[in-house]
Amino acid sequence: MTTSISICIATYKRPTGLLRLLEGLNEQRFSVMEPPKIEVVIADNDQEGSAKAIYESVKPSFKWSLVYGIEAQQGVTFARNCSLSLAAKESEFLVFIDDDEVPSPQWLEALLECQINYQADVVTGPVFPKFEQAAPDWIIQGGFFSPREHETGKVMEVAFTNNTLVSSKEIRKIDKPFDDRFAFRGSEDAHLFMNLFKQGAKIIWCSEAIVYEFIPESRTRLKWLLDRNYYGWSSHSLLEKQHFPSLFVQSQRFIKGCLLVLMGVLSLLPNLFLGQHRRAKSIIYIYRGLGSLAGLINVQGAWGGADR
């Protein structure tokens, strides 16, 4: 029986990115398995329907089923939940990817292979950067946008909507998978996947399922990186406290936060003389540590969209 998949995209006024993503999805190849039954769902979070023109231009030559709908209520959680409501109820798997990304040609096959091989409920993979303009040398030297590295098959405790396949059976157990409290704060995906992990879902890493994220020049600045790290680590700490409120887990997080601050402070002075990327790393350690500690006292940063 052919596997059925819905690829869910939440988009907001990114016509160039959306078109690029749809072109990448149209180029998906399957060399190991038979192509699944694929539908691509676009949830447009612009009440004016600005993504509809892209949808209409692509649909005639698109080789998969293409679905479009508008979610007028502003906020990423509303758009993500809208994409789920538009997805075919018979789909066995739901796949999430962002509208500023493009997948490698065998991305979807890699996710499916990994799901079969490890009998996973959730499969997630790396996101590599593609800079829209030449990045400063210190950004490249510091590897600040390099993806996390894990062996395929590693069990994870969390995943994110920038590159993830999830069993529809698991996600549809939750009445409203993406919690509207996170509509303008971000981390709605970490909240969902931590919740699924807590309920027993098996989350597996797949190194071969590669996605590329397009990084604008505005993100190649130290302030953006500091905001990203503080927010990401405070969010992770806060959500971890909510889902796993044991004294042991919170103690480990507290110790980790203190060690990060200490590492940053101790390395800052020598790194003042070793290049901008080294100085930035020291300051980022401090922000990560402060973020971790902030989350323990229920304080979350004000920036959205970071991962941890």
Side-chain angles (χ1 to χ4, degrees), residues 4-308:
S4 55
I5 294 172
S6 293
I7 300 174
C8 298
I9 304 166
T11 189
Y12 179 69
K13 294 184 178 181
R14 275 184 177 159
T16 301
L18 179 61
L19 178 59
R20 187 171 52 209
L21 169 57
L22 293 174
E23 289 172 347
L25 293 175
N26 210 33
E27 294 171 1
Q28 290 299 290
R29 298 199 298 262
F30 297 86
S31 57
V32 176
M33 61 178 65
E34 288 296 317
K37 180 182 178 183
I38 299 172
E39 72 165 2
V40 175
V41 178
I42 303 169
D44 188 352
N45 205 201
D46 178 8
Q47 62 180 351
E48 302 297 326
S50 57
K52 190 172 183 180
I54 299 297
Y55 158 76
E56 291 177 340
S57 69
V58 167
K59 189 172 183 180
S61 59
F62 204 63
K63 63 182 180 183
W64 318 117
S65 173
L66 193 58
V67 178
Y68 172 84
I70 294 175
E71 173 51 67
Q73 179 68 54
Q74 280 290 292
V76 66
T77 58
F78 298 106
R80 295 205 192 284
N81 285 324
C82 174
S83 71
L84 294 176
S85 69
L86 291 169
K89 297 298 180 280
E90 64 270 18
S91 287
E92 298 167 69
F93 298 101
L94 300 160
V95 178
F96 296 101
I97 187 169
D98 289 338
D99 64 355
D100 57 353
E101 297 176 333
V102 65
S104 56
Q106 292 186 288
W107 161 72
L108 190 55
E109 183 176 61
L111 287 173
L112 286 168
E113 263 201 292
C114 202
Q115 188 282 322
I116 294 168
N117 292 340
Y118 294 93
Q119 290 299 289
D121 300 300
V122 181
V123 182
T124 188
V127 179
F128 288 86
K130 275 186 176 292
F131 296 100
E132 292 183 354
Q133 296 184 23
D137 290 342
W138 67 272
I139 288 283
I140 303 300
Q141 291 167 350
F144 296 113
F145 290 90
S146 298
R148 293 170 296 163
E149 293 184 10
H150 306 290
E151 289 186 2
T152 294
K154 177 179 171 59
V155 176
M156 309 294 289
E157 296 182 1
V158 69
F160 305 95
T161 48
N162 54 6
N163 181 6
T164 294
L165 173 147
V166 57
S167 163
S168 60
K169 180 177 67 175
E170 291 295 321
I171 206 168
R172 294 194 190 282
K173 289 178 182 176
I174 304 171
D175 181 50
K176 188 179 284 188
F178 295 101
D179 192 322
D180 291 336
R181 291 178 297 170
F182 299 93
F184 297 100
R185 292 162 52 191
S187 295
E188 77 291 341
D189 48 0
H191 179 268
L192 169 63
F193 290 111
M194 275 192 182
N195 191 21
L196 290 178
F197 179 79
K198 182 180 179 181
Q199 294 177 16
K202 185 178 182 182
I203 305 176
I204 292 296
W205 181 264
C206 180
S207 295
E208 296 77 19
I210 295 172
V211 160
Y212 297 95
E213 179 184 14
F214 285 79
I215 310 294
E217 185 183 15
S218 59
R219 295 187 184 181
T220 60
R221 298 168 186 165
L222 181 58
K223 184 183 184 304
W224 190 92
L225 290 172
L226 296 179
D227 288 345
R228 175 198 193 198
N229 280 274
Y230 181 85
Y231 180 85
W233 286 67
S234 64
S235 297
H236 186 93
S237 182
L238 186 150
L239 293 174
E240 185 180 64
K241 180 180 177 181
Q242 291 177 359
H243 290 296
F244 310 103
S246 75
L247 181 61
F248 175 76
V249 171
Q250 301 315 303
S251 298
Q252 292 290 99
R253 179 59 57 178
F254 176 77
I255 292 169
K256 187 172 185 177
C258 291
L259 287 175
L260 283 166
V261 173
L262 184 62
M263 285 171 56
V265 170
L266 292 178
S267 65
L268 185 55
L269 183 58
N271 282 344
L272 289 175
F273 307 97
L274 296 175
Q276 188 175 355
H277 68 291
R278 297 289 292 270
R279 296 193 294 273
K281 282 190 175 183
S282 293
I283 302 171
I284 285 172
Y285 279 137
I286 296 171
Y287 270 65
R288 287 177 173 178
L290 293 175
S292 293
L293 298 174
L296 288 174
I297 57 172
N298 300 323
V299 175
Q300 185 183 31
W303 183 86
D307 57 17
R308 160 49 194 85

